[in-house]
Amino acid sequence: MMLTGMHVAIIGGDARQLEVIRKLIELDAKLSLVGFDQLAHHFMGATKLRIDEVDFVDLDAIILPVHGTTLDGKVNTVFSHEQIPFTEEMLLKTAKHCTVYTGISNRYLDDLMKAAGRKYVQLFERDDVAIYNSIPTAEGAVMIVIQHTDFTIHGSRVAVLGLGRIGMTVARTFAALGAKVKVGARRSEHLARIMEMGLVPFHINDLEKEVQDIDICINTIPHLIVTASVIAKMPAHTLIVDLASKPGGTDFRYAEKRGVKAILAPGLPGVVAPKTAGQIIANVLSQLLYADLQKRKGNGQ
């Protein structure tokens, strides 16, 4: 699976993008790197450029950081002090087949892609990426719990909220460490799956009742679910770890007022295992780029 002849611009990012760069060089893609001028390492087969030096006309793909752009159209990078803009004018120079890859999107990026008429892919919306990322996320949750409690996970009473792609891995991980795990969900098939996993299911509607005897609450649901009335029912020593994307699903103000420790911890893969998180992105990206290249060859482009 080689990407010979494919020209890819990697614009901004953090340590995860270094794994993407390594993988695409290995697959013989031509790389233009923007926002990496302070990176001491020199990649053979990749060219460091400023954004105004990029040949957008020649690009087959553009890879943005996990967080895409800011709401005012800037791309963040940890390897440069430069402000990197990403504009409609730049995109309109690209060929029609040029695809933009990002981790997540926002209003600016959605509007930009629509205006330019270019295809874009949100990697973190994909099931495969989310499931792979659930592994370092669960490990990060274990790390946080160990750091912020004075009791073992083994034997502790843990409530996991949500049985999505992250919730399932988190619940299984804490159960494997000997915790007494119950999982809250809405869908009947999720409640059935929790039972099948050997864990205790409960309906989210019963959350206030179910938190009265827990030591740890781990939320994966991305809307306000751990409300003031829920927190009021928890034992004072309960630790809340919220893994949902910002702003999380917890009333942090009330938790602080009541003295319940609550930690918002989105994006754990990039924090606890940037190399693995980068390899996950790199492997999926390389497959998508290869499929795109084969499709264009089949269409004679």
Side-chain angles (χ1 to χ4, degrees), residues 2-9 24 27-31 58-61 97 99 101 285-286 288-294 296:
M2 300 300 283
L3 298 175
T4 307
M6 193 167 212
H7 186 183
V8 181
L24 297 189
L27 297 177
D28 199 32
K30 176 185 175 183
L31 294 188
D58 189 49
L59 292 181
D60 298 301
H97 70 262
T99 303
Y101 296 89
L285 258 176
S286 58
L288 294 174
L289 290 168
Y290 181 72
D292 187 41
L293 183 61
Q294 294 303 108
R296 283 193 288 114

Side-chain angles (χ1 to χ4, degrees), residues 123-259:
L123 294 170
F124 280 25
E125 292 293 312
R126 291 175 56 91
D127 278 338
D128 51 3
V129 174
I131 292 167
Y132 289 134
N133 268 332
S134 72
I135 299 165
T137 298
E139 290 187 14
V142 169
M143 176 189 75
I144 289 169
V145 168
I146 290 171
Q147 287 173 336
H148 293 277
T149 56
D150 56 2
F151 49 84
T152 60
I153 291 173
H154 188 282
S156 63
R157 294 160 299 186
V158 178
V160 176
L161 310 184
L163 196 79
R165 300 166 299 193
I166 292 172
M168 185 178 289
T169 305
V170 168
R172 189 182 287 123
T173 299
F174 276 82
L177 289 171
K180 297 168 185 170
V181 179
K182 55 184 171 183
V183 185
R186 290 190 192 282
R187 289 160 54 176
S188 60
E189 63 267 33
H190 284 179
L191 295 168
R193 178 61 68 191
I194 294 160
M195 176 80 74
E196 179 275 328
M197 290 168 68
L199 307 177
V200 178
F202 69 89
H203 198 283
I204 283 293
N205 289 352
D206 299 325
L207 186 54
E208 287 188 25
K209 178 167 71 78
E210 295 291 341
V211 299
Q212 292 178 25
D213 65 346
I214 62 171
D215 303 305
I216 300 158
C217 178
I218 303 174
N219 178 53
T220 70
I221 299 170
H223 55 82
L224 185 60
I225 189 101
V226 187
T227 60
S229 56
V230 170
I231 295 168
K233 302 290 194 302
M234 292 177 178
H237 73 271
T238 303
L239 172 67
I240 301 169
V241 180
D242 200 322
L243 304 178
S245 53
K246 290 181 181 178
T250 300
D251 187 334
F252 290 97
R253 184 202 62 80
Y254 182 79
E256 184 177 7
K257 181 180 176 183
R258 185 161 175 249

Side-chain angles (χ1 to χ4, degrees), residues 8-13 17 20-21 24 31-36 61-64:
V8 181
I10 298 180
I11 303 176
Q17 298 299 74
V20 174
I21 294 167
L24 297 189
L31 294 188
S32 294
L33 309 181
V34 180
F36 293 88
I62 296 170
I63 299 173
L64 296 175

Side-chain angles (χ1 to χ4, degrees), residues 72-140:
D72 60 351
K74 301 294 191 300
V75 179
N76 290 322
T77 177
V78 300
F79 300 111
S80 176
H81 290 313
E82 281 188 38
Q83 287 272 308
I84 305 171
F86 188 58
T87 66
E88 183 181 347
E89 183 187 3
M90 295 170 185
L91 263 184
L92 288 173
K93 292 177 184 174
T94 62
K96 292 275 192 209
H97 70 262
C98 183
T99 303
V100 176
Y101 296 89
T102 179
I104 58 176
S105 189
N106 59 26
R107 191 172 63 253
Y108 175 85
L109 209 44
D110 288 342
D111 292 345
L112 178 65
M113 292 302 154
K114 189 175 178 183
R118 296 294 182 269
K119 178 187 172 190
Y120 78 120
V121 176
Q122 297 178 58
L123 294 170
F124 280 25
E125 292 293 312
R126 291 175 56 91
D127 278 338
D128 51 3
V129 174
I131 292 167
Y132 289 134
N133 268 332
S134 72
I135 299 165
T137 298
E139 290 187 14

